[in-house]
Amino acid sequence: MVALISAFGLVLAVELPDKTLVATLVLTTRFRAWPVFAGVCAAFAVQCVIAVAFGSVLTLLPDVVLSLVVAAMFGLGAFMLLREGFSEADEAGDDASRSGPSPLSFLRSATASFGVLFAAEWGDASQLATASLAARIGNPVAVGVGAFSALVVVAGLAVFIGAKLRSRIRPKLIQRCAGFAFAGFATFALVQLAF
């Protein structure tokens, strides 16, 4: 029980102010809430299994490589968000295409959400914390369940906030803000290389 509570508390504290919350929030403004939540939770489940399985091995990655990969992922995300945010496409048409109940759109939204969060979590503080706890405590199942539970709480909060924002703020404005935020994350990852 100590391992589960330790993992939950640590991962929750690390993830609340993290890019994961921002990425999930942005995805919810782009797609319907349930597919985003499903995709994000699936990505978190896979990442928790990976973190627990490899234990402390993930912490041995060179900082330079890790920072470059993170910067590249956020740079690509910033480019895609800003390109879409500044495009001339009709926002009303975008909203209509997102609200349909088609299973294909659910699958597409869930898959996109899975991909974004799966990539964003590589080398993330929560993944490294989960791996470290699993190696130190020696109870990988409890650590994995605690970390996953914390990530689901953060995802639920982000999906709830994103769904509320989506109906009040133009999606293009959110995409632009998120694109600039992702560009900031990419810059921060590159700046870390200097230190």
Side-chain angles (χ1 to χ4, degrees):
M1 193 58 138
V2 172
L4 191 144
I5 293 170
S6 298
F8 180 86
L10 179 63
V11 171
L12 187 66
V14 166
E15 285 299 319
L16 275 177
D18 194 51
K19 65 189 178 292
T20 302
L21 182 106
V22 175
T24 305
L25 193 141
V26 169
L27 285 165
T28 305
T29 63
R30 179 71 183 128
F31 302 112
R32 291 179 297 141
W34 281 114
V36 170
F37 188 69
V40 166
C41 287
F44 288 151
V46 173
Q47 286 291 9
C48 283
V49 168
I50 290 169
V52 167
F54 287 109
S56 62
V57 173
L58 292 176
T59 62
L60 300 176
L61 288 174
D63 291 339
V64 173
V65 173
L66 191 58
S67 292
L68 287 173
V69 169
V70 168
M73 287 187 304
F74 276 112
L76 179 62
F79 170 75
M80 293 170 63
L81 283 165
L82 290 171
R83 183 183 67 189
E84 189 168 337
F86 285 105
S87 73
E88 298 296 324
D90 179 26
E91 288 184 30
D94 288 346
D95 284 340
S97 70
R98 283 179 285 173
S99 60
S102 155
L104 181 59
S105 64
F106 181 95
L107 183 61
R108 188 180 129 238
S109 301
T111 303
S113 300
F114 176 89
V116 168
L117 266 293
F118 184 78
E121 281 296 301
W122 278 109
D124 190 62
S126 64
Q127 188 182 43
L128 296 176
T130 302
S132 297
L133 279 174
R136 256 185 270 145
I137 294 176
N139 190 342
V141 174
V143 169
V145 169
F148 177 71
S149 299
L151 291 166
V152 169
V153 167
V154 171
L157 181 63
V159 165
F160 177 76
I161 293 169
K164 296 294 180 191
L165 286 177
R166 180 179 177 192
S167 63
R168 291 179 172 78
I169 299 175
R170 295 180 329 148
K172 294 245 183 242
L173 177 62
I174 295 171
Q175 289 169 341
R176 291 172 190 167
C177 291
F180 287 121
F182 274 38
F185 290 142
T187 303
F188 180 72
L190 290 174
V191 168
Q192 285 182 322
L193 289 173
F195 300 105

